[in-house]
Amino acid sequence: MYRSNTCGELRIADKGKKVTLAGWVQKARSLGSMTFVDLRDRYGITQLVFEGDPGLGREYVIQVTGEVLERESKNPKMPTGDIEIKVESLNILNKAQTPPFTIEENSDGGEDIRAKYRYLDLRRAPLQRALALRHRLAQEVRTYLDKQGFMEIETPYLIKSTPEGARDFVVPSRMNPGQFYALPQSPQTFKQLLMVAGYDRYFQIVRCFRDEDLRADRQPEFTQIDCEMSFVEQEDVLNMFEGMMRQMFKNAVGVDIPDPLPRMSWYDAMDNYGSDKPDIRFGMKFHEISDLVKGCGFSVFDGSEYIGAITAEGCAEYTRKQLDELTEWVKRPQVGAKGLVYIKVNADGTIKSSIDKFYTPEQLQKVAEACEAKAGDLIFVLCGPKRKTQTQLGVLRIEMGNRLGLRDPKVFAPLWIVDFPLLEWSEEDGRFYAMHHPFTAPKPEHEKWFYSDKKEDLERVCANAYDFVLNGTELGGGSIRIHNADMQSRMFEVLGISKEDAEYKFGFIINAFKFGAPPHGGLAFGFDRVCALFGGQETIRDYIAFPKNNQGRDVMIDSPSLIDQVQMDELFLESKVKA
Ligand code: ASP
């Protein structure tokens, strides 16, 4: 027996017991006649007391036997802080080189070195807590869905390349020279084929692969909770997965989320928050003031389609310097505004603004009222094309939320965004793209527009598509699908995909729909991000055991890497990059 107890287990009630522990030496403090050692495993830390100096280095793996004693100076911060082990025998199971960084709650190691020695970083408590939370959440998903009659079914990783949206990762086929598999961006078409096959409640906690640029905390491989149901309407899907989220919140982090969850249409989200993933932990909703400020001779406003404002509470004391800095901030390419107009409602009720020249105090007072600004508040105004300006104002709103401390990661404000437009016009490419994906169905009552050839009609079509949003992050999304071959073909036509191309890439699913496809719908949650947000963190990397860096590299195993010429030859490949 290697151990009788773990390092997180013993308490004062165990006083006097003879125990055997095994673990890693986190710290050794020698006082000459005796040495204190913190022994660590994933359950906690227990203090050991040695007579003399046993000569243990950090991260040595040891086994000790001894008696549980009551400590003289207790440590109330540690669960085992009332006791220590008086070591009678020591067995060094393995020595360790001095680790390149401290393996404690907070490490002194930089990100790169910790990534290189990920297995050492994973010994640290914060990462162990993160992976434990991930495990807990995965178990909650499985127990909930199992109870609801869902079957967990695996779908292939080597599939066909059908890039639409993100870029595919591809894998050369040795047995089929010159041909390639693609790794799935999601199991979308397979889960729909499972519906055709009659498996009416499917789920899978599954890896997905997208060859995207990795800014904004993305990983080239990530995990989805992927789900699909047959014979359902949007309402059924939302209720089912709201229930799942409710159980996850309750059992994994002890939080009760509202029942039912709030819902907001995509249009309201854009008009009020300038984002399809609004953070509703705080207000600062938009006020459209076009009618109040247009036609007064201020040409910038007069020439704008949309003029919108947000009110930052208690910010009237912002200095010239702060306002200039914010103006520069909104002009950065990441935001892209042309400028920033402000209106201050001073503590004494008077108004001071950057557009005083063009408006009377009474006119500005009206604007302040429309923006629900009180004495001491500051109004920011942006103008330009409607959706673009709303998006910019949305970015500014989030920034102000951050600056004013309104985005507490311990507060959870989930909601559903519903009624997305089906299609999105790209000026650049002169074509429509599917807002969700090409398998999403138009709302039945909008089908008449879906079959129209007019751009304005197609732009009006909405889908029963929905996103689960938490604290300004989209955690998941899905839709009611097309289950009819003709409608699916029409979709590809609307997306400007030729009949031949649609047949080549998606013939299998169009064909399947000719053999009795049931009505169906589903969704997928981004599991890594679910874990991070539940853990109150912004970044997903801590919740993935072996993540990749911003360049898509695993610096621990040093991948990607070159392969042998022999392997290249077997795969009929030639590299344009010379080694
Ligand atoms: N497959 C979709 C995605 O990855 C989710 C869904 O529609 O179920 O975004």
Side-chain angles (χ1 to χ4, degrees), residues 185-189 191-192 208 210 222 224-228 436-437 439-440 466-467 474 476-481 521-525:
Q185 296 187 19
S186 85
Q188 184 62 35
T189 50
K191 66 175 172 177
Q192 292 192 248
C208 300
R210 294 184 192 173
F222 61 96
Q224 280 190 347
I225 309 167
D226 191 46
C227 311
E228 197 76 6
H436 185 49
H437 53 52
F439 309 103
T440 297
Y466 30 79
D467 276 356
E474 179 209 319
S479 58
I480 297 299
R481 325 294 188 189
L523 82 184
F525 291 96

Side-chain angles (χ1 to χ4, degrees), residues 166-199:
R167 223 173 271 118
D168 281 334
F169 280 104
V170 295
V171 179
S173 165
R174 180 182 55 80
M175 288 192 283
N176 301 274
Q179 297 186 14
F180 293 80
Y181 301 101
L183 302 180
Q185 296 187 19
S186 85
Q188 184 62 35
T189 50
F190 287 96
K191 66 175 172 177
Q192 292 192 248
L193 293 171
L194 285 170
M195 295 304 113
V196 178
Y199 295 82

